[in-house]
Amino acid sequence: MLNTLAAVGGMQVAPHHLAAQAGRDVLRDGGNAVEAMVAAAAAIAVVYPHMNAIGGDGFWLIHEPGKAPIAIDACGSAAALANREFYAGHDAIPSRGPLAALTVAGTVGGWQQALLAAAPWGRALPLSRLLADAIRHARDGVAVTASQAALTRSKFDGLRDAPGFAETFLVRGAPPERGQLLRQPALANTLSTLADRGLDDFYRGETAARIAAELERLGSPLRAADLAGYRAEVVEPLSVRLRGSTIYNLPPPTQGLAALMTLGIFDRLGVTEGEGFAYVHGLVESTKRAFRVRDRVVTDPRRLPADPRSFLTAAALAERAADIDMQVALPWPDPAAPGDTIWMGAIDREGRAVSFIQSVYWEFGSGVVLRDTGITWQNRGVSFSLDPAALNTLEPGRKPFHTLNPSLALFDDGRVMPYGTMGGEGQPQTQAAVFSRYALFGQSLQQAVSAPRWLLGRTWGDVSTSLKLESRFDPALVQALRDAGHQVELLDEAFSDTMGHAGALVRHPNGVIEGAADPRSDGAAAGV
């Protein structure tokens, strides 16, 4: 079991140790939390390519001491050509291949917007320094992780024929083994170009032209004008008030509302101790109520059927808490959607904190790897529906529904806690488990991240509605959940990837920073 790391000069946590080290070294060189996160984001797009890429989306929460947190929405919109007529003959948008690559990749624009937000903080490190580790890892190569090897094998049939995938991620036509060397020279060249010419080149420069030309040649609806029209946005975060803290998350199109509602409802159930039946049952039932609101409210922020903030008032949360039977489970037939992601956190010496998430949606996204640039493109647009009556119906320029949602808590006693996880449907649930164990029931930060977890809904790449539990749960608790009506599925693993890769940092008022990485991941917390 990992021990919580402590430092005072700054800290980076990431689900791959090379990304954590990239961020830590920027902090050591005098960089701020945003600069550290850009370095880590670029590095992890290289070393953890099954989970994220620069061809995906991202979301930021940035907190400067004494100021309200700001949020950055780096979600790309559907292409101007992406309409129902473009997908005529299809019952749904294909999940892999060029037709799945229908939304602009926003994450690089998010890096750009975050660096602008941090500009008033003073001396900035050059972009070439921030991208140096990512460029080196792409050019020299990195060892394939166990999770990349396993996911390539399990998703092989759907990915092997996607343009560029085999040349980039397979070894002589077969999935790689753990420890084999992965080199990405085209991606190294693209990152070097961005370091030289600036991040804007991704959308309105030579890089953009090369991206657009290849996407069009492959059959994607994306064009140069879609890239040129994109800019990440600074938005007002959502928040919920709990006992002793305020938690922030992203507004739609993310499911941040569900993450906040889950904790807000649970906080009003009166559960007095963690890990027992009331704790797990209470959080699962809170999740169900939050998901049902999410599924009828969360969509493109310009098309919301209701104000998300209205569901986070004390009265609204109390009303949903009162609907929960603490002995009987609400039947749960609702389907879920897959998704794969990374979450990372950073805190610098001045106490500035970042909670960040970056994704290509499904593992390896659309599977399309652009040969000219080495960029793996996301398939976030498959969350659109071709049904014109659906909440998230496909329309040109529309933002897709996002599972991504980074969290950040400000405690009344002065502590600051960026935390989060990857894992699609599991993100709000794991966030609730990590935060409640630490903040409400007094567990250490590492214990809160490492403790047994559950997931209501999907497994990786499948649609499932059961309540999945890691094997370390007390058998008596498992039986009590079944007796209450939960459809329990006990997993074989004690630490299962199904539960996502979480992480957390906490800065105390005296300047000491704690960090915890997930033993389910290949990650680390790296301090200065």
Side-chain angles (χ1 to χ4, degrees), residues 45-134:
V46 173
V47 303
Y48 233 39
H50 52 306
M51 293 295 177
N52 76 126
I54 64 171
D57 284 344
F59 295 91
W60 295 70
L61 282 172
I62 302 171
H63 172 62
E64 185 178 1
K67 297 183 179 179
I70 67 166
I72 295 174
D73 173 339
C75 165
S77 300
L81 295 177
N83 54 31
R84 286 185 289 278
E85 288 70 30
F86 188 89
Y87 291 93
H90 295 275
D91 294 330
I93 296 169
S95 58
R96 304 289 195 185
L99 294 182
L102 69 149
T103 60
V104 174
T107 198
V108 172
W111 303 354
Q112 185 179 30
Q113 187 63 58
L115 290 170
L116 285 174
W121 297 350
R123 182 181 68 88
L125 294 178
L127 188 59
S128 58
R129 169 64 190 89
L130 304 186
L131 302 187
D133 282 15

Side-chain angles (χ1 to χ4, degrees), residues 57 75-84 86-87 90-95 99-105 221-222 253 298-303 337-338 361-362 377-403:
D57 284 344
C75 165
S77 300
L81 295 177
N83 54 31
R84 286 185 289 278
F86 188 89
Y87 291 93
H90 295 275
D91 294 330
I93 296 169
S95 58
L99 294 182
L102 69 149
T103 60
V104 174
L222 283 164
V298 176
T299 184
D300 185 299
R302 295 161 295 185
R303 296 169 170 84
Y361 197 32
W362 291 17
W377 210 266
Q378 66 184 353
N379 66 339
R380 181 60 60 175
V382 305
S383 64
F384 286 122
S385 172
L386 296 180
D387 178 356
L391 177 64
N392 284 293
T393 189
L394 176 64
E395 294 177 0
R398 187 167 188 167
K399 290 188 176 183
F401 167 80
H402 253 287
T403 52

